[in-house]
Amino acid sequence: TIYEMVDTIQTIPRFRTYVDIISTIVTGYYSRGKFEYGPYFTTLSFNPVEGARFRLGGRTSNEFSTWVEFEGYAAYGTTDERLKYGLSTRGFISKQPRLLYRGAYKHDVEQLGQSTNAFRSDNILGSVFRRNPNTKLTDVEEWKCSLEREWFTGLSNEVMLRYRTLQALGDLSYTRVENDLTPVNVSSLRTAEVSLNTHFTFHEKFVSGEFDRISVGFNKWPTLELHLAYGAPGLFESDYEYTKAIGRIYKRWQLGAVGWTRTTFEGGRLWGTLPYPLLFLHSGNETFYYDDLAFNTMNFFEFISDRYVQVFAEHHFEGLFFNRVPLFRRLKWREVATLKAVAGDLDPKHNNALLLLPGMYDLYNGPFVEASAGVENILKVLSVNFVWRLRYNDHPNTSPYAIRAKLFINF
């Protein structure tokens, strides 16, 4: 009877309309048959480099295939008058065990140095809710292919080959000083990189779709990640040789009545002599949207290192204090506090590759530290954070205090 009721509900037009609307809002894509149009939030955006940017794109749906997916887009800027585009595909060689291939090509404008959690550079919200003009962009032509293999639930490896050509846009430039102290402009940077990514969580659980899946995160065991990469000089006319290693440990801690905490420890090291776009660009945020994986009072390209360690800690009190105040108890607001810090170093030899521009620094005076206190579950979906920048407050275009907001649903 339950199965019959579910099947009947799915045939009701009004119910299908609600499902389509919610699905479009959550995924960004509007599905019609074998094709999904989107993401809708990238259709129109703007920045000083491209002007008004118009983008159309989409991907094949699960109705087309649950084994292979194709995606593509084209974009045009009214100021630079250039066409940008990208094509990609991914598909399963095997689902049990999970063996997935990916391939992609794009020639587009990117914001280097932002976190994986940040607004895309062509997101309309990222264009509207900015605190600084978006003038530190890079023209990126990129080819990449990868093969991901899950050995057992929780342990997977991905091998990737990536070739990139970078060109400076906006306020960025590539300048090298020759032996006679003559500055020389460099038109582009080329890299060919082979990398191996490892992910391990003991007894990991997922919420899965046909292609994507999200780790549930409620696990007593930590998540371990390791990224190893080698830059091969001369391969496809690549300019640089380097070796990169990044390690990351993530853990969520259940603390009973006190709430819960999540911590991330990360460290990285680069060997080789590299220009600043290829070094570790510590993740900044120049929007008013709170980014969990970035420093929200740090500018893009502000701090650059070739070795670093960082820690992110975020505690959710789950109403520990507000529940003792009658008004706040009825509102069901919840308290949250964070602490973020990064310490690093930069070898002066990298200046022989490309000079840092004004507004770019190494962590010359100890770690950068940022703290915040906020309120979440406002109207069930909104979180507001008051952020303090505790160090390096003498840098231009920075503020020791900031207010950031984000959409956050805490189940």
Side-chain angles (χ1 to χ4, degrees):
T1 303
I2 292 175
Y3 288 136
E4 182 180 358
M5 180 184 67
V6 172
D7 291 339
T8 302
I9 288 176
Q10 293 182 356
T11 63
I12 299 174
R14 179 176 294 182
F15 177 81
R16 292 303 312 165
T17 300
Y18 290 152
V19 170
D20 290 343
I21 293 174
I22 294 173
S23 176
T24 301
I25 293 174
V26 173
T27 66
Y29 290 87
Y30 176 64
S31 182
R32 294 294 293 176
K34 297 182 179 181
F35 195 76
E36 297 179 350
Y37 301 88
Y40 65 86
F41 47 77
T42 64
T43 303
L44 171 65
S45 59
F46 52 88
N47 61 70
V49 174
E50 297 178 278
R53 173 186 166 107
F54 301 91
R55 182 185 188 276
L56 292 176
R59 64 188 182 188
T60 56
S61 69
N62 293 338
E63 190 174 319
F64 172 81
S65 175
T66 58
W67 280 83
V68 63
E69 178 185 85
F70 300 96
E71 184 171 2
Y73 73 90
Y76 182 80
T78 58
T79 297
D80 63 357
E81 298 181 339
R82 287 185 48 233
L83 180 67
K84 300 92 176 177
Y85 49 91
L87 296 169
S88 65
T89 181
R90 59 177 174 172
F92 287 100
I93 300 174
S94 167
K95 291 191 175 183
Q96 292 294 335
R98 183 180 173 92
L99 185 60
L100 182 69
Y101 70 84
R102 296 180 179 89
Y105 169 80
K106 71 174 180 180
H107 193 174
D108 205 346
V109 172
E110 282 190 23
Q111 174 65 69
L112 301 183
Q114 65 180 10
S115 79
T116 56
N117 195 48
F119 282 138
R120 298 161 46 146
S121 59
D122 57 357
N123 189 314
I124 183 60
L125 296 180
S127 299
V128 174
F129 297 107
R130 293 195 61 83
R131 59 183 180 87
N132 287 327
N134 195 10
T135 57
K136 302 173 186 176
L137 297 173
T138 303
D139 180 86
V140 179
E141 184 178 15
E142 178 181 77
W143 301 80
K144 66 179 180 180
C145 60
S146 68
L147 185 65
E148 179 187 345
R149 173 67 151 83
E150 183 178 63
W151 304 101
F152 56 84
T153 302
L155 176 62
S156 62
N157 287 115
E158 183 181 31
V159 178
M160 179 183 294
L161 174 63
R162 182 174 69 164
Y163 176 76
R164 293 196 303 169
T165 301
L166 309 180
Q167 293 181 299
L169 298 175
D171 292 341
L172 299 180
S173 63
Y174 301 157
T175 303
R176 182 180 65 240
V177 175
E178 300 292 345
N179 294 331
D180 60 356
L181 302 182
T182 302
V184 176
N185 290 327
V186 178
S187 60
S188 64
L189 311 175
R190 292 182 297 271
T191 64
E193 181 180 283
V194 181
S195 62
L196 172 65
N197 299 315
T198 302
H199 172 98
F200 176 64
T201 305
F202 190 58
H203 287 169
E204 188 170 21
K205 296 179 176 61
F206 299 96
V207 176
S208 298
E210 294 296 342
F211 293 95
D212 297 310
R213 59 183 186 175
I214 301 173
S215 178
V216 174
F218 301 103
N219 197 314
K220 65 178 181 179
W221 304 100
T223 295
L224 309 177
E225 295 179 347
L226 179 63
H227 171 75
L228 301 174
Y230 173 70
L235 180 63
F236 306 122
E237 300 183 343
S238 172
D239 298 324
Y240 300 97
E241 181 177 18
Y242 59 90
T243 304
K244 181 192 302 184
I246 301 174
R248 184 180 299 110
I249 302 175
Y250 168 84
K251 179 73 171 73
R252 174 172 169 146
W253 310 81
Q254 292 295 145
L255 303 176
V258 181
W260 58 275
T261 297
R262 59 183 178 188
T263 56
T264 303
F265 297 92
E266 183 179 305
R269 182 73 165 92
L270 268 169
W271 293 268
T273 301
L274 296 173
Y276 70 80
L278 304 182
L279 296 170
F280 293 123
L281 307 175
H282 298 297
S283 298
N285 179 17
E286 296 190 2
T287 72
F288 293 106
Y289 190 87
Y290 186 86
D291 188 343
D292 292 320
L293 303 182
F295 295 93
N296 289 277
T297 56
M298 182 188 293
N299 294 328
F300 293 131
F301 287 93
E302 185 176 354
F303 290 102
I304 300 172
S305 302
D306 62 6
R307 71 206 80 171
Y308 74 97
V309 291
Q310 73 179 26
V311 57
F312 286 6
E314 178 180 278
H315 183 72
H316 298 255
F317 291 91
E318 296 292 271
L320 179 65
F321 304 110
F322 285 170
N323 284 347
R324 288 165 170 76
V325 180
L327 177 60
F328 286 121
R329 183 169 63 243
R330 297 191 63 177
L331 292 173
K332 296 183 180 180
W333 289 359
R334 300 165 182 165
E335 320 86 340
V336 59
T338 65
L339 179 67
K340 301 178 180 181
V342 58
D345 197 9
L346 182 66
D347 195 310
K349 69 179 181 180
H350 298 293
N351 270 336
N352 296 328
L354 280 180
L355 293 175
L356 299 184
L357 299 177
M360 299 181 183
Y361 308 89
D362 60 1
L363 290 159
Y364 56 89
N365 192 28
F368 177 91
V369 183
E370 178 183 276
S372 71
V375 179
E376 60 186 9
N377 204 43
I378 301 174
L379 302 177
K380 305 296 184 184
V381 296
L382 182 65
S383 174
V384 177
N385 295 269
F386 300 87
V387 189
W388 292 269
R389 178 177 167 131
L390 302 179
R391 309 205 65 212
Y392 296 98
N393 291 329
D394 57 334
H395 287 185
N397 299 320
T398 63
S399 173
Y401 308 105
I403 299 177
R404 302 287 184 264
K406 68 172 180 177
L407 297 176
F408 177 76
I409 302 175
N410 182 11
F411 296 102

